[in-house]
Amino acid sequence: TASKDEEQAMSQEQPMVSQKKRKVCYEHRDKYYKCFNTHAVDGSADQCKELRRQYEEACLRSWVKYFDDMHKNEKSAAAQKRMMQTVQPSKRFAADE
Protein backbone atom coordinates (compact mmCIF):
# COMPACT_ATOMS: atom_id res chain seq x y z
CA THR A 1 0.00 0.00 0.00
CA ALA A 2 1.07 3.57 -0.54
CA SER A 3 2.14 5.91 2.21
CA LYS A 4 0.39 9.24 2.72
CA ASP A 5 3.43 11.00 1.21
CA GLU A 6 3.20 8.86 -1.92
CA GLU A 7 -0.50 9.48 -2.27
CA GLN A 8 -0.07 13.21 -1.80
CA ALA A 9 2.78 13.44 -4.33
CA MET A 10 0.85 11.46 -6.89
CA SER A 11 -2.44 13.25 -6.37
CA GLN A 12 -0.63 16.55 -6.92
CA GLU A 13 0.89 15.20 -10.13
CA GLN A 14 -2.34 13.83 -11.57
CA PRO A 15 -5.35 15.13 -9.64
CA MET A 16 -7.72 13.47 -12.14
CA VAL A 17 -6.64 9.92 -11.25
CA SER A 18 -9.41 8.38 -9.20
CA GLN A 19 -8.92 6.71 -5.88
CA LYS A 20 -10.04 3.43 -7.46
CA LYS A 21 -7.37 3.67 -10.19
CA ARG A 22 -4.69 4.47 -7.60
CA LYS A 23 -5.74 1.43 -5.59
CA VAL A 24 -5.53 -0.80 -8.67
CA CYS A 25 -2.10 0.65 -9.45
CA TYR A 26 -0.85 -0.02 -5.91
CA GLU A 27 -2.17 -3.58 -5.99
CA HIS A 28 -0.40 -4.35 -9.28
CA ARG A 29 2.79 -2.67 -8.03
CA ASP A 30 2.74 -4.73 -4.84
CA LYS A 31 2.12 -8.01 -6.70
CA TYR A 32 4.95 -7.29 -9.13
CA TYR A 33 7.49 -6.37 -6.46
CA LYS A 34 6.52 -9.35 -4.31
CA CYS A 35 7.27 -11.60 -7.28
CA PHE A 36 10.40 -9.68 -8.25
CA ASN A 37 11.84 -9.69 -4.71
CA THR A 38 11.18 -13.42 -4.41
CA HIS A 39 12.64 -14.42 -7.78
CA ALA A 40 15.42 -11.88 -8.34
CA VAL A 41 17.56 -13.65 -5.74
CA ASP A 42 17.69 -16.90 -7.70
CA GLY A 43 17.76 -15.27 -11.14
CA SER A 44 14.25 -16.34 -12.11
CA ALA A 45 12.66 -12.87 -12.18
CA ASP A 46 11.53 -13.61 -15.75
CA GLN A 47 8.55 -15.28 -14.10
CA CYS A 48 7.35 -11.77 -13.21
CA LYS A 49 7.13 -10.37 -16.76
CA GLU A 50 3.33 -10.60 -16.96
CA LEU A 51 2.97 -8.94 -13.55
CA ARG A 52 5.33 -6.19 -14.73
CA ARG A 53 3.19 -5.64 -17.83
CA GLN A 54 0.04 -5.40 -15.70
CA TYR A 55 1.77 -3.00 -13.30
CA GLU A 56 2.85 -0.76 -16.18
CA GLU A 57 -0.67 -0.82 -17.64
CA ALA A 58 -2.35 -0.02 -14.32
CA CYS A 59 -0.08 2.88 -13.34
CA LEU A 60 0.89 6.14 -14.96
CA ARG A 61 4.34 5.98 -16.52
CA SER A 62 5.65 8.64 -14.12
CA TRP A 63 4.37 6.60 -11.16
CA VAL A 64 6.11 3.46 -12.43
CA LYS A 65 9.36 5.40 -12.66
CA TYR A 66 8.85 6.82 -9.17
CA PHE A 67 8.06 3.40 -7.65
CA ASP A 68 10.96 1.75 -9.49
CA ASP A 69 13.39 4.42 -8.28
CA MET A 70 12.03 4.13 -4.74
CA HIS A 71 12.37 0.33 -4.81
CA LYS A 72 15.92 0.55 -6.15
CA ASN A 73 16.88 3.06 -3.44
CA GLU A 74 15.33 0.93 -0.69
CA LYS A 75 17.19 -2.16 -1.91
CA SER A 76 20.45 -0.22 -2.08
CA ALA A 77 19.98 1.17 1.44
CA ALA A 78 19.15 -2.29 2.80
CA ALA A 79 22.25 -3.77 1.15
CA GLN A 80 24.45 -1.04 2.63
CA LYS A 81 22.95 -1.63 6.06
CA ARG A 82 23.63 -5.38 5.82
CA MET A 83 27.18 -4.68 4.70
CA MET A 84 27.78 -2.36 7.64
CA GLN A 85 26.41 -4.94 10.05
CA THR A 86 28.90 -7.52 8.81
CA VAL A 87 31.89 -5.22 9.40
CA GLN A 88 33.33 -5.67 12.86
CA PRO A 89 32.76 -2.60 15.06
CA SER A 90 36.48 -2.14 15.67
CA LYS A 91 37.06 -1.93 11.89
CA ARG A 92 34.17 0.44 11.19
CA PHE A 93 35.95 3.37 12.76
CA ALA A 94 39.55 2.43 12.00
CA ALA A 95 39.75 5.30 9.52
CA ASP A 96 38.81 7.76 12.25
CA GLU A 97 41.88 6.94 14.33
Side-chain angles (χ1 to χ4, degrees), residues 2-12 26 66:
S3 71
K4 287 185 181 184
D5 290 339
E6 290 172 350
E7 287 186 24
Q8 184 178 25
M10 287 178 216
S11 65
Q12 289 172 355
Y26 300 151
Y66 173 80

Side-chain angles (χ1 to χ4, degrees), residues 84 86-97:
M84 288 303 296
T86 61
V87 175
Q88 295 175 355
S90 60
K91 292 183 180 181
R92 279 189 202 166
F93 303 104
D96 294 338
E97 295 176 357

Side-chain angles (χ1 to χ4, degrees), residues 6 9-10 13-14 25-26 29 32-33 52-74:
E6 290 172 350
M10 287 178 216
E13 176 189 326
Q14 290 290 337
C25 170
Y26 300 151
R29 174 202 61 188
Y32 167 70
Y33 278 114
R52 176 69 188 200
R53 186 192 62 74
Q54 292 170 2
Y55 161 51
E56 290 177 352
E57 280 184 10
C59 300
L60 295 171
R61 189 176 325 168
S62 60
W63 292 15
V64 171
K65 181 181 178 345
Y66 173 80
F67 291 139
D68 288 350
D69 290 346
M70 188 172 65
H71 182 263
K72 197 178 303 178
N73 291 338
E74 287 173 356

Side-chain angles (χ1 to χ4, degrees), residues 12-29:
Q12 289 172 355
E13 176 189 326
Q14 290 290 337
M16 301 304 288
V17 176
S18 72
Q19 183 176 8
K20 182 179 178 181
K21 287 183 179 183
R22 283 195 307 268
K23 183 178 181 196
V24 169
C25 170
Y26 300 151
E27 288 171 354
H28 284 286
R29 174 202 61 188

Side-chain angles (χ1 to χ4, degrees), residues 27-58:
E27 288 171 354
H28 284 286
R29 174 202 61 188
D30 294 346
K31 287 177 187 177
Y32 167 70
Y33 278 114
K34 181 177 182 181
C35 178
F36 181 82
N37 291 338
T38 300
H39 296 289
V41 175
D42 63 8
S44 64
D46 285 348
Q47 296 180 30
C48 308
K49 283 183 180 179
E50 179 61 20
L51 292 173
R52 176 69 188 200
R53 186 192 62 74
Q54 292 170 2
Y55 161 51
E56 290 177 352
E57 280 184 10

